[in-house]
Every structure is written in structure tokens, then in C-alpha cells.
Amino acid sequence: MTDALTSPTPGSPVQFEVATNVPTTHGTFEMRAYRDLVTGAEHVAIIAAGPDGTAPRDGALVRVHSECLTGEAFGSLKCECGPQLDAALGTIAAEGGVVVYLRGQEGRGIGLINKLKAYRLQEDGLDTLDANLALGFPADSRAYGGAAGILADLGITSLRLLSNNPEKRRQLEEHGIVVESLVPLVVGISAQNAGYLDTKRDRMGHQLPTHLEAGSPLA
């Protein structure tokens, strides 16, 4: 196990705390915990070596994933976050790579209670974007400086991003990360989240198929 650092790297938005190996249903990962020095949130890098046993490096497959309690722990069908995390972990277990798991960004950064308020507004007919706006928030409040700091600590300055979201790519590139390509992650489609996914595609620019069908596999 790597010893915890006593101070952050000068200029880094995160402080490394500890590394340990964790067995999971997908295999054993190295997990490195970080404290976000801007937001105070606790993040984790979930790391899998490649088939040849080498650690991820430039050009690695990386998923930057925001915490979603409702989708990941409660199995909500209003989003595809749980299946996305599961698919990402399975993919890096097979191919090698990193999942950077960002805590404190529930509901695109508005928090759990406000996310449930947004759900309630969606029951009245608003889509996911307008519900956030009606609560006084931007369409997406998430920030990725912490993720960029974690990737820098891992020595990864260029990557293939497992995501459908060009905005995530843009923000990472603003923080100095070279995104070589977006690798589609199309999973968890259901009748309950079809409208949510349509909004992500049509109003937020996510790279999703025009016709979404329940049960679509990882593309």
C-alpha cells in the first residue's frame, strides 16, 4: 500500500490520501483516495492494469463518473448512471484503465435533495434540463478540475474518454488533459429514462443514437 501524503502537490486541486487494493465483482482494483481541496469532496480513482500487467498511462481508457446515489445504490430507472458505472468497471477490468469517481456531484452538481425536487418537477411535465433551471441552477453544475488533478497525479495527460458527453471532454481539455477520442457508453436504456436521454441528446449535445431502444448494449 502506498503511504498517505502529508501535503498536496503544489498547485494541485487534490490531495492524495491513501491507496489500497479492493476485490470487487469485476475483479480486484487499486483504489486511490483523494481530497478535493476546492470543494472538500472525497474522490477515488479506481485503477485496473492492462492485460500485460502494466499500469494505465497516456492513451489509457478513462471514465470520469459523477456520483449518483439514486441510480447506483437505489437502482433508479430515471437515469442510466448505475449501468454506466457497472459497464465502465467491467470494461477497465478487461482492458485496463481508470474510473475517476467524483463524489459531491449528485444531480449534475445540485445535490441529492435538489435532485429529488427536480424529479418532482419532472412529474409535472418539465424535462431534466428545465427542472434544474426552475430550481435556479444551471443545466449542469459539475466541474472537473478535481478529476484533472487526479489524472495528473496518475501521470495520465492524454486519454480515451469513456463518455457520450462532449462538455466533459471540453472541461477536461480546459484543465490540460488531451482527450484523444470519446468512446461511447450507451447502456441502461429503459422506458422510464427515454425522455431523459432524449433531452441529453437533443438539448445538451450528448452523442447518443437518434433512436434509443431499451436494452441497448455498450457500443
Side-chain angles (χ1 to χ4, degrees):
M1 185 187 304
T2 305
D3 292 334
L5 298 183
T6 56
S7 61
T9 301
S12 175
V14 297
Q15 177 172 320
F16 169 68
E17 295 286 348
V18 68
T20 188
N21 293 322
V22 179
T24 76
T25 55
H26 294 288
T28 299
F29 298 110
E30 180 188 8
M31 295 192 180
R32 294 174 62 88
Y34 295 83
R35 188 173 306 281
D36 193 310
L37 300 177
V38 177
T39 67
E42 298 173 349
H43 308 313
V44 62
I46 306 165
I47 304 164
D52 61 357
T54 59
R57 51 187 177 236
D58 280 346
L61 185 66
V62 173
R63 167 73 179 167
V64 176
H65 187 94
S66 296
E67 178 181 27
C68 176
L69 181 69
T70 55
E72 295 158 10
F74 303 151
S76 169
L77 298 178
K78 292 179 73 69
C79 67
E80 82 281 40
C81 300
Q84 281 190 323
L85 178 60
D86 192 58
L89 291 172
T91 300
I92 69 162
E95 301 181 17
V98 181
V99 173
V100 178
Y101 189 87
L102 300 176
R103 302 195 65 209
Q105 301 215 118
E106 186 86 31
R108 300 199 194 108
I110 66 176
L112 180 60
I113 290 175
N114 284 317
K115 178 182 183 177
L116 294 177
K117 289 180 179 180
Y119 277 3
R120 182 63 186 85
L121 291 173
Q122 290 168 43
E123 291 177 6
D124 293 333
L126 296 186
D127 67 22
T128 180
L129 188 157
D130 284 335
N132 277 26
L133 297 178
L135 291 170
F137 297 103
D140 193 335
S141 303
R142 291 175 294 181
Y144 297 101
I150 290 170
L151 291 166
D153 181 70
L154 297 177
I156 296 174
T157 59
S158 65
L159 53 83
R160 293 172 293 129
L161 185 64
L162 191 56
S163 177
N164 310 312
N165 186 359
E167 174 62 15
K168 190 179 294 184
R169 176 182 195 164
R170 185 191 68 79
Q171 286 205 38
L172 288 172
E173 289 179 335
E174 281 191 348
H175 289 286
I177 302 296
V178 176
V179 179
E180 297 175 357
S181 62
L182 289 182
V183 179
L185 186 60
V186 183
V187 292
I189 299 168
S190 68
Q192 293 89 342
N193 64 28
Y196 163 84
L197 294 173
D198 286 342
T199 298
K200 289 174 79 171
R201 180 192 62 229
D202 298 337
R203 300 191 65 192
M204 303 182 75
H206 288 224
Q207 296 179 359
L208 291 165
T210 303
H211 299 290
L212 294 166
E213 297 181 2
S216 292
L218 176 66

